[in-house]
Amino acid sequence: MLVVQKYGGSSVATPEHIRRVARRVVEYRRQGHQVVVVVSAMGDTTDELIALMNKVSDNPPEREVDMLLSTGEQVSIALLAMAISRLEEDVISLTGSQAGIITDNVHTKARIIKVNTERIVRELSAGKIVVVAGFQGVNDANDITTLGRGGSDTTAVALAAALKADLCEIYTDVDGVYTADPRLVPDARKLPTVSYDEMLEMAHLGAAVLHYRAVECAKLHGVTLHVRSSFNRNPGTIVKEADEVEKSIIVTGVTHDLNIAKVALFDVYDRPGIAWKIFHALAVENINVDMIIQSAMRDGLNDIAFTICKSDLKKTLAVLENIREQVGATGYTYDENVAKVSIVGSGIATNAGVAAMMFEALARENINLEMIATSEIKISCIIKAHEVSRAVRALHRKFIVPGEDICMVSA
Amino acid sequence: MLVVQKYGGSSVATPEHIRRVARRVVEYRRQGHQVVVVVSAMGDTTDELIALMNKVSDNPPEREVDMLLSTGEQVSIALLAMAISRLEEDVISLTGSQAGIITDNVHTKARIIKVNTERIVRELSAGKIVVVAGFQGVNDANDITTLGRGGSDTTAVALAAALKADLCEIYTDVDGVYTADPRLVPDARKLPTVSYDEMLEMAHLGAAVLHYRAVECAKLHGVTLHVRSSFNRNPGTIVKEADEVEKSIIVTGVTHDLNIAKVALFDVYDRPGIAWKIFHALAVENINVDMIIQSAMRDGLNDIAFTICKSDLKKTLAVLENIREQVGATGYTYDENVAKVSIVGSGIATNAGVAAMMFEALARENINLEMIATSEIKISCIIKAHEVSRAVRALHRKFIVPGEDICMVSA
């Protein structure tokens, strides 16, 4: 069997952690499997590098950010290969570039466009455990790129797909995917299985356990994921194609995301092409916009509000400053103290009244809804950041906790 | 003018240091020069990585050591490029691999065999300052290699030679090349010029300011070096082809090296091919042997002693353990508490009695000589490590201090 295992930053936080991961990898190898291991940077390494960077420049070129941050994973792969070698297994570490992870040119959030597996296949055939740096790749100019948040998950899934691996295990510091964040909701339950689509919404909405791009990639290539803890042997959560049976559950989980900011433009022209102008200008700068709300306030003028990743706020405001006159905006505002809470489940689309139940649960907690967005399998609300714990607990009580009949109504 | 500047670890030790180097580089660029900058890892980074490594494995594969250590320079180049960009000059950082530094396969002490300058030339032509990671390259298997101690000097000189640069400036934390280590000898003087051969001996003998491989490479390609401080504007020491005039000075400098160990094999067969067996076995393991002494003790049996770099001691002892029976040795011993003191000067070969003067100066200090080696332009003695300061001061008094006639006798 060919297994791709991915170990996150908390699983390789210290030399002791790395030695434990090495033992786990070698154990697999000795069961006769071929093993490709993807690792993230050790614990706080990336944050430390960013702190160093901030002391040198407040606006570094993104190519150089990637040059800097990619060293974090390079340290991890070298140390893990050393730890595995010490257990007397043949092993080789490969940077993203050496592993053939080819990306586009969008520094700091590149997308994998191809995996040249030649070198990995050759090393596996030579009987080696192959340790690959997550989060990084190389573009066609031979420059190092990074994949952005959660990039190591994507590396693992892309390798599993390209190598036609039998399984892709995502090791993390939690036991699997929960119905809500257990730190906020003590009686949150671990899900034994979850569909790609549900995981996609949950990942997209801030369930930190697995990055949405990785789930997208897994869905596209039919890679079965096993999300589990590197600190114990418990079975985790299997992510795979949805069964019909599972649709009987309306709401699979409650998620939240504090890493967002809300931006609003006032009084833009109510004219075709205005929204295109705004969101094209943002797309050119590689700013991902999440929720968008447009509301007609007076004749011929609109307010447009949208949410973005907090780290894109500075770039976003610069874009707005550039285009505000073109779109006729009288001003703009932003708010970083917001959060998104969502309910996710395959049954939402087929169950009328789920949205109303969600709004009721939040209203009973006296929580104001600033924006609302829905899809086939999720409903999201933007609320004040300090209300997020209360909101998540209320929604979990409403939809998930066993015994409350509403949440188990079948489609 | 095309200038290659190399900044050592102490010159880029902190973000503040990096910003200062950036200002200096930009100043050069704005004078209209093309600038290629080679940097080492920040201050103690390499030591920190080694400490981390030691917590994971006591015997790491050397390929993985290179994978690990090369991250140090990668951090430096990214940060320096950011600092230069902040001063609004176009800049790009390149790893050794991206810069086309092609080496052999000897991990941890690779030699540069070729420089593919295509990418650097392209970036220079585009008006960019090019920042290159010192100390590292890539072999023909696309694996990262490192050049060993002082490797960044070699990178700078190799680039200067390949790019046909007009000048190669080596920035360090001292003002230039001194007649002895100023920390040991307060009245040591800075040399305005020194020949390649003298610098070669001094570098080889432990004058930490410039690595001998870099000097070899500079001599081979006729690259003029300027060794100077990154902390002030003082002119430093120019290293170039010897003038006839300079030969009038017998002794140019006094050097010392504490980074050595002495090893001795007892009672090896006195037979042709025995020395070859021993030193071939060491060469296969890439252990550089420095001084060698063979002494016939009894009929048919020899003692062989030699010195090596301290860091090679463990490997050396392993080799001896393997070959001791083949060469008939009854045992071996080693001593890490030794040092080498040397006098260097173009005039040594042509002046009889210089060796005797050296031995006299050391004898008057009651310092015992364990081994002696001489060349055209140097004389070295192995002594106990704790006597090194006294020895260097005595030799500097004897040969260098102005006013003592002996040192100024012309050839």
Side-chain angles (χ1 to χ4, degrees):
Chain A
M1 200 161 88
L2 171 56
V3 185
V4 176
Q5 300 187 326
K6 180 256 170 176
Y7 292 90
S10 55
S11 303
V12 292
T14 68
E16 292 67 40
H17 284 74
I18 289 172
R19 291 213 304 269
R20 181 168 53 195
V21 168
R23 286 194 295 274
R24 194 149 187 163
V25 169
V26 165
E27 199 178 287
Y28 248 86
R29 175 79 189 118
R30 291 187 180 157
Q31 288 166 13
H33 305 310
Q34 290 187 308
V35 190
V36 174
V37 189
V38 175
V39 270
S40 303
M42 293 170 73
D44 304 323
T45 308
T46 305
D47 291 337
E48 285 163 20
L49 289 171
I50 289 173
L52 203 54
M53 175 172 95
N54 289 336
K55 285 186 191 152
V56 169
S57 173
D58 49 3
N59 187 24
E62 293 188 328
R63 179 191 181 277
E64 303 301 337
V65 174
D66 284 354
M67 179 66 92
L68 180 70
L69 296 187
S70 61
T71 61
E73 287 73 28
Q74 196 174 323
V75 168
S76 298
I77 57 171
L79 292 175
L80 181 57
M82 290 173 184
I84 291 172
S85 170
R86 192 159 166 274
L87 301 175
E88 300 186 340
E89 285 293 334
D90 277 349
V91 61
I92 190 161
S93 73
L94 299 175
T95 63
S97 166
Q98 290 170 337
I101 311 281
I102 314 298
T103 73
D104 61 18
N105 300 316
V106 184
H107 284 289
T108 77
K109 31 175 112 159
R111 277 176 174 272
I112 297 173
I113 52 182
K114 195 168 61 173
V115 182
N116 291 333
T117 57
E118 190 199 333
R119 173 103 195 234
I120 296 182
V121 169
R122 191 166 75 235
E123 303 293 356
L124 285 173
S125 304
K128 290 183 191 157
I129 294 167
V130 179
V131 180
V132 177
F135 179 69
Q136 58 179 249
V138 66
N139 64 19
D140 55 9
N142 194 28
D143 284 337
I144 299 170
T145 53
T146 68
L147 308 179
R149 279 209 306 162
S152 293
D153 292 343
T154 313
T155 302
V157 175
L159 285 176
L163 294 164
K164 304 195 196 323
D166 299 283
L167 184 62
C168 181
E169 296 188 313
I170 307 287
Y171 285 92
T172 177
D173 53 358
V174 296
D175 265 2
V177 181
Y178 277 71
T179 51
D181 187 336
R183 286 168 299 189
L184 296 192
V185 182
D187 57 353
R189 288 179 293 110
K190 183 167 68 185
L191 295 161
T193 63
V194 64
S195 73
Y196 291 126
D197 285 336
E198 286 169 330
M199 193 64 230
L200 213 45
E201 288 292 357
M202 293 172 82
H204 201 68
L205 299 172
V209 68
L210 196 54
H211 197 262
Y212 72 92
R213 277 207 207 158
V215 186
E216 270 178 2
C217 182
K219 183 185 176 190
L220 188 64
H221 298 283
V223 175
T224 299
L225 305 178
H226 187 181
V227 179
R228 57 193 302 195
S229 170
S230 64
F231 297 91
N232 62 47
R233 302 283 166 156
N234 300 344
T237 299
I238 301 283
V239 185
K240 59 185 175 90
E241 209 50 75
D243 296 335
E244 278 312 300
V245 184
E246 284 163 10
K247 294 209 174 141
S248 63
I249 299 169
I250 301 176
V251 175
T252 310
V254 179
T255 69
H256 65 283
D257 188 356
L258 282 159
N259 187 32
I260 60 167
K262 193 180 84 168
V263 180
L265 269 168
F266 304 132
D267 302 330
V268 301
Y269 301 135
D270 185 14
R271 212 187 269 165
I274 289 296
W276 178 82
K277 259 208 179 75
I278 297 169
F279 295 106
H280 176 72
L282 293 166
V284 164
E285 294 293 320
N286 278 295
I287 298 163
N288 289 324
V289 174
D290 181 19
M291 294 163 70
I292 301 176
I293 285 182
Q294 178 169 319
S295 51
M297 298 296 282
R298 284 168 292 165
D299 280 349
L301 291 174
N302 281 331
D303 285 358
I304 293 183
F306 54 91
T307 62
I308 50 168
C309 191
K310 230 173 221 164
S311 56
D312 283 335
L313 182 59
K314 216 163 81 177
K315 274 201 321 197
T316 301
L317 296 181
V319 168
L320 295 188
E321 193 53 48
N322 270 332
I323 58 158
R324 59 184 284 190
E325 284 192 27
Q326 284 176 59
V327 300
T330 55
Y332 53 85
T333 180
Y334 65 92
D335 187 353
E336 292 184 276
N337 294 312
V338 292
K340 182 162 60 174
V341 290
S342 312
I343 56 174
V344 176
S346 314
I348 287 179
T350 46
N351 275 266
V354 177
M357 289 194 290
M358 179 181 189
F359 304 152
E360 183 201 0
L362 295 174
R364 283 185 189 280
E365 290 289 327
N366 209 22
I367 291 169
N368 192 42
L369 309 183
E370 307 198 359
M371 295 169 81
I372 298 165
T374 63
S375 80
E376 286 283 295
I377 62 166
K378 73 123 203 259
I379 305 172
S380 298
C381 301
I382 300 297
I383 60 174
K384 288 285 171 221
H386 70 270
E387 296 175 327
V388 75
S389 308
R390 260 192 311 131
V392 172
R393 278 194 293 264
L395 294 172
H396 197 265
R397 262 197 318 273
K398 183 86 178 177
F399 291 106
I400 311 274
V401 178
E404 296 214 2
D405 58 352
I406 296 160
C407 76
M408 300 309 253
V409 168
S410 65
Chain B
M1 199 161 90
L2 171 57
V3 185
V4 175
Q5 300 188 326
K6 178 256 172 178
Y7 293 90
S10 55
S11 303
V12 292
T14 67
E16 291 67 39
H17 285 72
I18 288 173
R19 291 213 306 267
R20 182 167 53 197
V21 168
R23 286 193 296 272
R24 194 149 187 161
V25 169
V26 166
E27 201 178 288
Y28 248 84
R29 175 78 190 118
R30 291 187 181 159
Q31 287 166 13
H33 304 310
Q34 290 187 308
V35 192
V36 175
V37 189
V38 175
V39 271
S40 303
M42 293 170 73
D44 303 325
T45 307
T46 305
D47 291 339
E48 286 163 20
L49 289 170
I50 289 172
L52 202 56
M53 174 173 98
N54 288 338
K55 286 186 190 152
V56 169
S57 174
D58 49 3
N59 188 24
E62 293 188 328
R63 180 192 180 277
E64 303 301 337
V65 174
D66 284 354
M67 179 66 91
L68 180 71
L69 296 187
S70 61
T71 61
E73 287 73 27
Q74 195 174 324
V75 168
S76 298
I77 56 170
L79 291 175
L80 181 56
M82 290 173 186
I84 290 172
S85 169
R86 192 160 165 275
L87 300 175
E88 300 187 338
E89 285 293 334
D90 277 350
V91 61
I92 190 162
S93 72
L94 299 175
T95 63
S97 165
Q98 290 170 338
I101 311 281
I102 314 297
T103 74
D104 61 18
N105 301 318
V106 184
H107 283 289
T108 77
K109 31 174 115 160
R111 276 175 174 275
I112 297 172
I113 52 181
K114 196 168 60 172
V115 182
N116 292 334
T117 58
E118 191 199 334
R119 172 104 196 233
I120 296 183
V121 168
R122 192 167 72 234
E123 303 292 357
L124 285 174
S125 304
K128 290 183 190 157
I129 295 168
V130 180
V131 180
V132 177
F135 179 70
Q136 60 181 249
V138 66
N139 65 19
D140 54 8
N142 194 28
D143 284 337
I144 298 170
T145 53
T146 68
L147 308 177
R149 278 209 306 160
S152 293
D153 292 343
T154 313
T155 303
V157 176
L159 285 177
L163 294 165
K164 304 194 196 325
D166 299 283
L167 184 61
C168 182
E169 297 188 312
I170 307 287
Y171 285 92
T172 176
D173 54 356
V174 296
D175 265 0
V177 182
Y178 276 72
T179 51
D181 187 336
R183 286 168 300 191
L184 296 191
V185 181
D187 57 354
R189 288 180 294 109
K190 183 167 69 186
L191 295 161
T193 62
V194 64
S195 73
Y196 291 126
D197 284 338
E198 287 169 330
M199 192 63 232
L200 215 44
E201 287 292 358
M202 293 172 81
H204 202 67
L205 298 171
V209 68
L210 197 56
H211 198 261
Y212 73 92
R213 275 206 209 158
V215 186
E216 270 177 1
C217 182
K219 183 185 176 188
L220 187 64
H221 298 284
V223 175
T224 300
L225 304 178
H226 188 182
V227 180
R228 57 192 305 194
S229 170
S230 64
F231 297 91
N232 62 46
R233 303 282 166 157
N234 300 344
T237 300
I238 301 283
V239 187
K240 58 185 176 90
E241 209 50 76
D243 296 335
E244 279 310 301
V245 185
E246 285 163 8
K247 294 205 175 145
S248 64
I249 299 168
I250 301 175
V251 175
T252 309
V254 179
T255 68
H256 64 282
D257 188 356
L258 283 157
N259 186 33
I260 60 168
K262 193 180 82 165
V263 180
L265 269 167
F266 304 131
D267 303 329
V268 301
Y269 302 135
D270 184 13
R271 212 187 269 166
I274 290 295
W276 177 84
K277 259 208 178 72
I278 297 168
F279 295 105
H280 176 73
L282 293 167
V284 164
E285 296 292 323
N286 276 295
I287 298 163
N288 288 323
V289 174
D290 179 20
M291 294 164 71
I292 301 175
I293 286 181
Q294 177 167 322
S295 52
M297 299 296 281
R298 285 167 291 167
D299 280 350
L301 290 176
N302 281 331
D303 285 359
I304 293 184
F306 54 91
T307 62
I308 50 168
C309 190
K310 229 171 222 166
S311 57
D312 282 335
L313 183 58
K314 215 162 83 177
K315 273 198 329 194
T316 301
L317 297 180
V319 168
L320 295 188
E321 193 55 50
N322 270 333
I323 59 158
R324 60 184 284 187
E325 284 192 28
Q326 284 175 60
V327 300
T330 56
Y332 53 85
T333 180
Y334 66 91
D335 187 353
E336 292 183 276
N337 295 311
V338 293
K340 182 162 62 173
V341 290
S342 312
I343 55 174
V344 176
S346 314
I348 288 177
T350 47
N351 277 266
V354 176
M357 288 195 292
M358 180 181 189
F359 305 152
E360 184 201 359
L362 295 174
R364 282 185 189 280
E365 292 287 327
N366 210 21
I367 292 169
N368 193 42
L369 308 184
E370 306 200 359
M371 294 168 83
I372 298 166
T374 63
S375 82
E376 286 283 295
I377 62 163
K378 72 121 203 260
I379 305 172
S380 299
C381 300
I382 300 296
I383 62 174
K384 288 283 174 222
H386 70 270
E387 295 176 327
V388 76
S389 308
R390 262 193 309 131
V392 172
R393 277 194 292 265
L395 294 172
H396 197 266
R397 262 197 317 275
K398 183 85 176 177
F399 290 106
I400 309 273
V401 176
E404 295 215 3
D405 57 354
I406 297 160
C407 76
M408 300 310 255
V409 168
S410 67

